[in-house]
Amino acid sequence: MTTSLRLLGAVWAEQEAHVIPFLPDKRHQLLAYLAYCGDWVDRDHPTFLFWPDSPPQVAGGNFRQLLVRVRALTCAAGLEIERHRLRWPVQTDVAAFLEAVGTGRWAEALAGYGGPLMDRLEGDEPGEFAGWLGCERERLRGLWRTAVLRRAGELTEGGAHLEATELLGQLLEADEFDEAALQAQVGALLRAGGRERARQAYEAFVERLRAELGLEPTAELAQLGRTLSAPAALPEPGATPPRPGPSSGPLPRPTTSFVGRDLELAEIARLLAQPGCRLLTLTGPGGIGKTRLALEAARGLAPRFPDGVFFVPLAPLTSEAQLTARVAAGLGLTPQGQADPLDQLVRWLGDRQVLLVLDNFEHLLEAAGVPQALIRRCPNLRLLVTSRGRLGVEAEWLLPLAGLEYPESLGLGPTPNAYFDAVRLFLERARQVRPDFAPGEEEWPPLLGICQLVAGSPLGLELAAGWVRCLGLADIAREIGENLDFLSAAGSDAAGRHASLRAVFDHSWRLLTPAEGAALRALSVFQGGFRLEAARRVSGASLPVLAALVDKSLLRRSHSGRYDRHALLHQYAREKLAEQPGEQRAARERHGRYYLALLAERSGEIGGPQGQAALAALDEEFGNIRLAWHWGVEEARTGQVWREWRRAAVGGLPYFSLRARYQEGEALYGEAAAALEEAGPEHGAALGEVLIPQASFTMRLGRYEEARYLGERGLALVLPDSQEAITGLGVLGAVEERTGAFSQAERHFGEALVLAERHGRVPDQATLRYNLANVALGLGDYDRAERQVERSVALFAGIGQRLGLVFGLDLQGYVALGRGHLDDAGRVLTRGLALARELGLHQRVPDFLQNLAEVAYERGNLAEARRLAEEGLALAQAEGHQTMEISALALLGRVSAAAGDDRQARGHLRRSIRLAWVSGETPRLLVGLVYLAEWRLRRGEVREAVPLLLAAERHPAAEHRLRALARRLGQNLAGQLVPGELVEAPGDPAGLETLVTRALAGLDLALPTAPGMSQDGAAG
């Protein structure tokens, strides 16, 4: 089915001649976003757009549920979803518009522009989608504006002046203060002989300017007005001759093209047009393109300054005393006599309308009083200054510059990616040294990697592009990441300070005070960003020092309040820190202690009213926490920082568990265990404290035998009456429960509960009673399960843990389901599902959906059961929740069988049984076998069904509810078989393997090797 999408103007999809309008809700917004991107998109990007303020786990869960809803849309045909990325490859009018603009087909571009991007699709919902859409809408509108101006130029050159006038009128309708459009329209009208109409257009523009904005015309606009008011072809009567004085000299002509920065150019023009902005400083780190931008802006602004635009380079100056003379020389003037040079400069400038560009001011900040005095004493002077740091004077306005825009992922596809300024600059410079350069599909990832490594720095991009003459893009990206000196200019004409990125950083470093240099070195120990408190604690820097680093463009502060810095500057600062081994050790220690303490403290808050905030804080700092963990493990080998690291290791378990960071947790605790093993037997208790969490994560990953071994070993090493013993017994109980050993599970949980009550550990008591309720359900004791879950919920409520209430509602609903109280079960489970979603506990949502699907099945509502089970399956797969994936597949097989869909039933049951067997989840394996037997019976295949039912009825790992179903299905079947055909139900792994082998063979699937077994079935 072919789908095309209109994105310019009102959004609608067209499928096979059917038009489907898009609504302002997240489902259609996501599809429109994917269509606009055109290629694979990293899942994190739309997740942030829709839930920017939610913790990553909460936002990820919301996004997974959104995908389930999007898949149900008719128009979403062709949507492709993978674990970390997704795309919707449909035809769009935006792609055609961009192609036309990129190739200069202006008339075609204008014909394809149907209006603002995704008009009225943003809706009223919170999130960053509206902000992103506003930016992209403005970017495309800017391209449309360029197309209008270029097409109007073509029409004017061809003599179609009136057509050009009408076209330019569209620009003025869209933005009635677009001065460039007015000037072009007036020019077209004058060429067409419409002088009076041109004058009227000008006067209407000026009147709007005064009435609505309270602004007077710029100098350039006023000069246009005087020209229109003067009699045609006659000199103005009594015109004053030009005043003697400096005249504008030619601005420096760069040898390469200027790429991008359209928004910054517009902002400079806007700011300098304001009466209050007369000293504008472009700030940013070295190599960010301040000088090139200032020159390009000066050229564009030249018509506004009839008395001249002047460029004064300050880099050669060695002292502040040389500044005034240098400015005078830049104006073509020579100070005379003994009078103050500044006074002479002021007299020369007088009230002339002059734009003065002062380039590279950062090493002359002590002389910042000179531009301040010029602004104060010369009323029509405008100053545009470039500097790595702000001047810090009263009249100064700031425009900080970041790198050129680049895609953060490959999601947009090659064509849209090529319109980002950073990519355009790289491609242009690369083609200077290799004219045939055109990146293939496999080269786009390293190309974007280069843009990211240099953070869009124009100098970094130009230096990197020079290497395409002899290296592939992947090699260039690798070299940049490993060697800062790689980015250096080969040509002899490179300016000294810009000959390499190291030279740029060296120059900035020389401008730092000792305190600023020490702070920047210490801050290099952070992984990624950091907050103010962490920066002060780790670097020891005062707030003024940190502010100075921000002012000098060496630190950046985001809207969220976090600080970060250019990736290559970070690499440079790390090198500087490594030159001071004593400083490096001290900074790493302060960093490690701070973040180990943060992990312990915030993990302790997870169960309280600030739990969500604590989880979000730990998510934000996980890179630094991981780094601190590695440092702590290393130091623990020598007995240092032992107490802090041990507290973090024990306290951090709830965070890793709730955030489902099972693989990371297993790796980190495994690293710690290896270090403690190496440290010797005197660390036995600490080793036990680490092995128990490692066992928990291993169990979560489905490796039950390994988890049992680690848990038993850890429990033997810790004190028998300790908090760690409670955790260890709980882990062993969970392993036994998952593998169907309910009696052993009950024993472990019971022993842990005794310890928890002895120590007054209420959260542990609540959790263990919940676990005991689960075991009671498995044994078929619904009364005991109900009592335990009620006490668990009461304990959780007593300490204000709403998280515990979610667990309790899930179990209460399951008890009601087991008793056959379907209305009660549906009501309780629906309430629990809503609460789980409200609290962001998305790992629990599949459980509720599974149980609600079972309620629907028992009521005979197969369509609702299928819908809920499919939603649960999608979420379980997205979360990596294998247990729930197995259960959802089994239930879908049962629903499909009841609906008479044998093909679907076969496929779902086969996948469920296979997954359960491979992962060793015996209780869920038995569920799949019973549902398979039920399907066989529906088909009259009694002989194949009976062994499966007997296995479930007699196997110790089968839950009571499943045994009851197996008995009910097996009633009166014995008489249908020939004596001797009934086999004994297998209760041992080898016998069960034989049964599963036959079951899967009957479903046309070979049996994978069971855990702990060789291919021939022998124990490993």
Side-chain angles (χ1 to χ4, degrees):
M1 181 182 295
T2 302
T3 303
S4 61
L5 203 67
R6 169 180 157 164
L7 294 171
L8 294 169
V11 183
W12 45 263
E14 184 174 353
Q15 283 182 338
E16 307 296 335
H18 295 290
V19 173
I20 305 168
F22 273 35
L23 304 175
D25 63 37
K26 285 189 173 67
R27 299 172 305 159
H28 290 109
Q29 289 169 349
L30 176 60
L31 285 177
Y33 172 80
L34 294 174
Y36 179 75
C37 294
D39 208 333
W40 290 108
V41 173
D42 190 302
R43 295 170 72 123
D44 289 343
H45 295 172
T47 301
F48 173 76
L49 288 181
F50 292 129
W51 297 281
D53 300 322
S54 298
Q57 292 288 109
V58 175
N62 288 338
F63 187 69
R64 287 186 284 274
Q65 294 185 50
L66 175 60
L67 286 179
V68 173
R69 294 165 53 212
V70 168
R71 277 173 157 170
L73 293 173
T74 305
C75 62
L79 178 63
E80 300 174 38
I81 301 176
E82 295 184 357
R83 185 169 183 82
H84 299 294
R85 61 179 190 166
L86 63 162
R87 69 173 174 177
W88 193 34
V90 296
Q91 299 173 358
T92 69
D93 54 348
V94 167
F97 171 74
L98 291 174
E99 175 68 20
V101 168
T103 53
R105 305 196 309 272
W106 308 116
E108 185 178 330
L110 293 178
Y113 187 81
L117 178 66
M118 303 182 203
D119 196 19
R120 294 187 293 279
L121 194 66
E122 58 268 42
D124 300 321
E125 294 191 56
E128 290 293 319
F129 178 77
W132 168 83
L133 180 54
C135 291
E136 291 303 304
R137 188 177 283 165
E138 190 59 30
R139 185 173 77 88
L140 292 185
R141 186 199 171 280
L143 293 175
W144 169 73
R145 178 179 180 274
T146 298
V148 170
L149 292 172
R150 295 291 183 89
R151 177 57 181 160
E154 291 177 346
L155 292 170
T156 300
E157 290 175 7
H161 305 304
L162 291 180
E163 188 177 346
T165 298
E166 295 303 318
L167 184 59
L168 291 162
Q170 296 178 22
L171 272 188
L172 289 167
E173 288 178 10
D175 180 1
E176 56 187 11
F177 299 109
D178 190 332
E179 187 172 324
L182 174 75
Q183 291 176 344
Q185 188 182 54
V186 166
L189 286 168
L190 289 175
R191 289 183 180 88
R195 187 180 188 83
E196 180 59 23
R197 187 177 166 190
R199 186 181 62 78
Q200 291 172 357
Y202 168 81
E203 290 175 350
F205 185 93
V206 171
E207 180 59 30
R208 287 196 302 271
L209 203 63
R210 288 170 175 156
E212 297 184 30
L213 301 181
L215 296 177
E216 290 298 316
T218 62
E220 182 182 5
L221 201 58
Q223 179 59 46
L224 178 62
R226 288 192 292 272
T227 301
L228 290 170
S229 299
L234 291 175
E236 192 172 336
T240 304
R243 295 174 296 177
S247 59
S248 178
L251 294 171
R253 283 286 177 187
T255 57
T256 55
S257 61
F258 181 81
V259 175
R261 298 286 194 195
D262 294 334
L263 293 178
E264 289 89 343
L265 287 169
E267 185 67 1
I268 292 170
R270 186 186 70 82
L271 290 173
L272 287 176
Q274 297 185 26
C277 179
R278 300 180 52 220
L279 167 54
L280 177 61
T281 304
L282 309 182
T283 62
I288 209 68
K290 300 181 294 294
T291 300
R292 289 297 303 271
L293 178 60
L295 278 171
E296 194 69 17
R299 286 193 186 87
L301 293 169
R304 294 190 186 180
F305 297 93
D307 295 313
V309 174
F310 301 89
F311 179 82
V312 183
L314 304 178
L317 303 191
T318 57
S319 73
E320 292 82 358
Q322 300 170 316
L323 178 59
T324 304
R326 180 68 174 181
V327 173
L331 291 167
L333 304 170
T334 304
Q336 302 292 326
Q338 300 301 313
D340 183 354
L342 180 60
D343 290 338
Q344 294 185 53
L345 187 57
V346 168
R347 284 197 300 273
W348 284 328
L349 288 169
D351 62 352
R352 290 183 172 87
Q353 296 181 28
V354 168
L355 173 63
L356 188 56
V357 181
L358 303 180
D359 186 46
N360 289 315
F361 207 101
E362 58 270 1
H363 59 304
L364 304 171
L365 296 179
E366 294 298 323
V370 172
Q372 173 85 347
L374 290 174
I375 287 297
R376 187 176 65 252
R377 298 170 64 183
C378 304
N380 293 324
L381 174 66
R382 293 287 194 276
L383 291 179
L384 181 59
V385 181
T386 73
S387 175
R388 299 186 189 187
R390 68 187 185 96
L391 275 59
V393 297
E394 183 181 8
E396 183 180 33
W397 289 48
L398 295 177
L399 182 58
L401 297 183
L404 296 174
E405 278 194 295
Y406 55 86
E408 294 185 7
S409 75
L410 290 169
L412 296 179
T415 300
N417 280 340
Y419 288 100
F420 281 83
D421 289 346
V423 178
R424 290 174 54 210
L425 179 63
F426 183 90
L427 293 176
E428 281 203 21
R429 298 299 183 264
R431 286 164 184 155
Q432 284 184 233
V433 297
R434 219 184 98 190
D436 63 343
F437 177 72
E441 184 175 348
E442 73 287 352
E443 292 182 295
W444 277 99
L447 193 160
L448 301 191
I450 292 167
C451 294
Q452 292 163 359
L453 283 167
V454 303
S457 162
L459 176 61
L461 291 165
E462 290 180 336
L463 294 174
W467 283 100
V468 302
R469 69 191 190 280
C470 56
L471 289 178
L473 296 185
D475 295 326
I476 295 172
R478 184 175 58 254
E479 289 291 336
I480 294 172
E482 296 175 355
N483 179 14
L484 182 61
D485 291 318
F486 174 75
L487 292 178
S488 58
S492 59
D493 60 341
R497 292 190 309 158
H498 288 147
S500 69
L501 279 182
R502 181 175 294 281
V504 169
F505 296 151
D506 283 341
H507 178 70
S508 294
W509 193 268
R510 287 191 293 270
L511 300 177
L512 297 179
T513 67
E516 292 164 357
L520 197 58
R521 285 195 298 269
L523 293 172
S524 70
V525 299
F526 285 96
Q527 180 70 38
F530 47 87
R531 291 201 172 269
L532 176 61
E533 175 62 21
R536 296 174 76 170
R537 291 275 296 278
V538 172
S539 72
S542 66
L543 188 57
V545 168
L546 293 172
L549 293 176
V550 173
D551 288 341
K552 294 180 178 181
S553 305
L554 299 174
L555 282 184
R556 300 176 297 211
R557 185 177 183 276
S558 69
H559 295 301
S560 69
R562 286 178 67 79
Y563 292 85
D564 65 2
R565 63 271 178 198
H566 192 292
L568 295 179
L569 176 61
H570 183 205
Q571 182 180 334
Y572 178 86
R574 283 203 310 267
E575 292 178 6
K576 288 291 186 182
L577 182 63
E579 295 170 3
Q580 308 289 333
E583 276 188 36
Q584 185 180 44
R585 283 193 299 273
R588 288 193 65 200
E589 179 176 348
R590 290 193 298 270
H591 177 276
R593 288 181 185 274
Y594 178 85
Y595 281 105
L596 288 177
L598 181 77
L599 174 60
E601 291 166 9
R602 299 312 297 262
S603 291
E605 299 171 5
I606 288 173
Q610 298 300 314
Q612 292 299 311
L615 288 169
L618 293 173
D619 288 340
E620 179 181 70
E621 297 292 1
F622 189 72
N624 283 307
I625 289 170
R626 183 166 43 207
L627 191 64
W629 182 284
H630 295 322
W631 171 83
V633 168
E634 185 62 34
E635 292 298 314
R637 296 174 191 269
T638 60
Q640 302 298 315
V641 300
W642 182 244
R643 183 176 302 171
E644 292 96 326
W645 179 80
R646 194 171 181 178
R647 180 168 168 250
V650 174
L653 178 58
Y655 169 70
F656 286 94
S657 298
L658 276 174
R659 282 304 193 228
R661 291 185 179 271
Y662 306 138
Q663 292 180 336
E664 292 158 314
E666 184 200 24
L668 291 176
Y669 282 88
E671 175 193 6
L676 291 168
E677 295 263 24
E678 185 181 317
E682 65 272 21
H683 297 299
L687 176 60
E689 293 172 1
V690 169
L691 288 172
I692 288 170
Q694 186 186 5
S696 175
F697 299 129
T698 305
M699 181 265 295
R700 298 277 189 174
L701 293 170
R703 304 204 305 271
Y704 298 117
E705 287 302 322
E706 185 182 347
R708 183 182 289 111
Y709 166 76
L710 292 170
E712 289 175 347
R713 187 169 174 227
L715 192 60
L717 291 171
V718 301
L719 294 173
D721 194 31
S722 63
Q723 169 63 44
E724 290 70 37
I726 298 173
T727 306
L729 287 166
V731 170
L732 288 176
V735 170
E736 302 300 353
E737 181 196 347
R738 290 197 175 202
T739 53
F742 298 118
S743 297
Q744 294 95 315
E746 187 172 34
R747 177 171 58 83
H748 288 312
F749 288 142
E751 290 176 10
L753 180 59
V754 171
L755 290 179
E757 289 176 337
R758 183 183 304 163
H759 289 286
R761 298 283 304 176
V762 178
D764 288 327
Q765 293 173 42
T767 300
L768 289 164
R769 288 196 178 278
Y770 171 84
N771 292 336
L772 284 166
N774 259 323
V775 172
L777 279 176
L779 294 170
D781 192 339
Y782 290 106
D783 291 336
R784 184 150 54 98
E786 204 160 40
R787 289 194 300 271
Q788 292 285 18
V789 76
E790 285 173 357
R791 296 188 67 181
S792 174
V793 169
L795 287 168
F796 278 127
I799 56 176
Q801 270 205 22
R802 298 179 75 200
L803 303 180
L805 180 57
V806 172
F807 287 77
L809 289 170
D810 189 16
L811 211 52
Q812 284 177 336
Y814 191 77
V815 169
L817 176 61
R819 291 182 181 278
H821 301 160
L822 300 182
D823 290 342
D824 291 342
R827 183 175 61 257
V828 171
L829 292 168
T830 300
R831 179 186 168 203
L833 176 61
L835 185 58
R837 283 173 166 158
E838 177 189 339
L839 296 179
L841 293 178
H842 297 293
Q843 70 271 28
R844 301 300 302 179
V845 170
D847 297 75
F848 283 104
L849 292 170
Q850 175 76 12
N851 289 335
L852 284 168
E854 291 203 35
V855 170
Y857 178 87
E858 295 296 337
R859 285 173 168 163
N861 189 344
L862 297 183
E864 180 68 0
R866 183 189 299 277
R867 184 189 69 79
L868 291 166
E870 286 178 343
E871 183 177 353
L873 175 62
L875 292 176
Q877 290 172 331
E879 291 278 0
H881 196 334
Q882 186 167 278
T883 298
M884 290 313 305
E885 182 179 358
I886 293 167
S887 297
L889 285 167
L891 183 56
L892 281 170
R894 191 183 194 197
V895 171
S896 298
D901 189 340
D902 285 351
R903 186 182 62 83
Q904 289 282 352
R906 179 191 297 270
H908 289 314
L909 291 171
R910 181 171 54 195
R911 289 173 59 198
S912 176
I913 293 169
R914 181 181 183 280
L915 276 175
W917 177 254
V918 170
S919 62
E921 296 221 19
T922 305
R924 280 132 198 108
L925 171 65
L926 294 168
V927 171
L929 293 178
V930 169
Y931 289 172
L932 174 59
E934 186 178 39
W935 177 57
R936 294 290 192 193
L937 291 175
R938 290 180 185 276
R939 293 163 54 87
E941 299 166 352
V942 176
R943 185 175 291 103
E944 290 81 0
V946 169
L948 303 175
L949 296 175
L950 291 175
E953 186 176 342
R954 299 174 184 177
H955 199 288
E959 291 187 1
H960 173 80
R961 184 164 167 254
L962 185 68
R963 287 198 205 100
L965 174 61
R967 281 195 299 270
R968 189 171 73 249
L969 292 173
Q971 288 174 354
N972 303 318
L973 290 181
Q976 301 181 40
L977 298 174
V978 176
E981 285 188 317
L982 276 176
V983 297
E984 278 300 311
D988 61 283
L992 188 60
E993 179 176 10
T994 300
L995 188 66
V996 174
T997 301
R998 291 172 179 168
L1000 287 174
L1003 294 170
D1004 303 318
L1005 182 69
L1007 178 66
T1009 303
M1013 296 286 177
S1014 64
Q1015 285 288 351
D1016 60 4

